[in-house]
Amino acid sequence: MTTQIQRNDQLLRRIVRAIDKAIADDVPRIRQEMQLETDNYVRFIRSDCIHDNLKTLAVSEDVQIIPFKRYSWKGRMLVDHANRITYSITTRQNLDAIPKKKDRRAPHFLMSMLAVENGDLEGQYEQLTLFPMDQFDEETYEEDYDTIINGALDPSAGYRHYVITYEFTGETLLEVDVVFLDKNFTVIDKESIREYIKPDFARLTGSAAAPEDAAENKPSIKNHLSLKPGLKPQLYEEEKQA
């Protein structure tokens, strides 16, 4: 029984790209197009963009997206059938808040995923405030799980659930982690995949001119410098990195 994260690096790279594209490109574009007086919708449109990007970037022969609903909210679960791993994506702040909410009338979908897929595991350490799993019985979790996956996988096939958490500020993705939790939301294993956040230099510098355009717009040194005979100055080009 493995308690370490099993990495599918190609898929994780695509997941990070889906999140980064939503935060840095898609949401700013939508806000620019809508030009509304307030932007309270942004927290919801971000997850919609992530889901859309996952469909475009992450789905393959072995990777499937499972749609599910929670009241009026529509969620998406990513399934890596080859490695038998399911993924959900949320902010680090939201993941931290889930175990703290009490008096639920129904399980949060992540509660059911962890109870069924990671229920036989125990985390590395006990959190100060453990999640009250006795809020719902085992049958409730299993029924909810069946509703979520809707026959897309065999619950007895040994699938594990990982949570992809991300942190951002403004239009910049800061951190992305893979978090492996037990049913009490205690960490079994955790790995940063921040290395897959690739800086987009066009975003940092604005619209960059093409090399040939830059050459055309560059003032001629010959027109601005008067050189003494025999003096050959050394000219350097300084490469700027963001």
Side-chain angles (χ1 to χ4, degrees):
M1 176 191 309
T2 179
T3 56
Q4 292 182 324
I5 289 172
Q6 182 180 355
R7 292 180 62 131
N8 179 341
D9 289 301
Q10 183 180 46
L11 177 57
L12 293 176
R13 187 179 294 108
R14 291 174 177 176
I15 292 174
V16 173
R17 174 56 184 152
I19 299 170
D20 185 49
K21 183 175 182 295
I23 292 171
D25 297 331
D26 300 332
V27 173
R29 172 181 52 79
I30 292 170
R31 294 177 69 181
Q32 180 65 29
E33 291 173 352
M34 297 183 72
Q35 289 289 309
L36 298 180
E37 181 68 20
T38 58
D39 54 6
N40 298 314
Y41 64 91
V42 168
R43 60 174 297 189
F44 300 105
I45 200 71
R46 185 179 66 248
S47 64
D48 289 340
C49 290
I50 291 174
H51 294 158
D52 203 56
N53 291 338
L54 289 174
K55 182 178 179 180
T56 304
L57 299 172
V59 171
S60 66
E61 183 177 351
D62 295 322
V63 178
Q64 174 189 4
I65 287 183
I66 299 177
F68 65 97
K69 290 185 68 176
R70 269 299 184 270
Y71 304 103
S72 62
W73 181 78
K74 298 177 181 179
R76 293 295 182 272
M77 192 80 60
L78 202 62
V79 185
D80 177 0
H81 289 290
N83 296 290
R84 296 184 180 179
I85 298 169
T86 60
Y87 296 89
S88 57
I89 301 172
T90 189
T91 62
R92 178 74 230 183
Q93 182 181 20
N94 187 53
L95 179 62
D96 291 341
I98 293 172
K100 298 175 182 177
K101 185 175 180 179
K102 301 178 181 180
D103 302 322
R104 293 180 181 273
R105 291 179 296 174
H108 187 280
F109 79 87
L110 191 52
M111 295 166 55
S112 300
M113 295 302 299
L114 296 179
V116 175
E117 296 191 353
N118 301 354
D120 59 328
L121 301 175
E122 291 185 2
Q124 296 176 345
Y125 57 87
E126 295 296 321
Q127 295 176 335
L128 294 178
T129 304
L130 291 178
F131 185 77
M133 284 303 292
D134 57 355
Q135 221 176 354
F136 304 98
D137 57 31
E138 185 176 345
E139 183 179 356
T140 300
Y141 288 125
E142 290 176 352
E143 290 177 354
D144 190 43
Y145 178 85
D146 290 341
T147 300
I148 295 168
I149 63 171
N150 195 27
L153 56 87
D154 180 1
S156 63
Y159 280 79
R160 297 299 191 189
H161 189 74
Y162 297 165
V163 183
I164 305 294
T165 66
Y166 64 93
E167 300 175 54
F168 71 101
T169 180
E171 299 173 6
T172 303
L173 181 60
L174 301 175
E175 299 288 343
V176 188
D177 294 320
V178 185
V179 188
F180 191 11
L181 300 167
D182 70 10
K183 64 181 181 180
N184 292 315
F185 284 71
T186 304
V187 175
I188 301 169
D189 193 18
K190 178 180 176 180
E191 289 189 10
S192 171
I193 50 175
R194 189 180 187 278
E195 68 267 23
Y196 296 143
I197 305 175
K198 293 186 177 180
D200 188 331
F201 294 104
R203 295 177 192 157
L204 299 176
T205 60
S207 55
E212 57 269 23
D213 295 335
E216 292 176 2
N217 295 331
K218 185 177 181 180
S220 172
I221 296 177
K222 188 179 297 183
N223 294 337
H224 294 277
L225 295 178
S226 176
L227 305 180
K228 296 182 180 179
L231 180 61
K232 297 180 179 181
Q234 294 181 341
L235 303 177
Y236 295 89
E237 290 186 0
E238 181 178 345
E239 182 181 358
K240 296 183 179 178
Q241 299 182 354

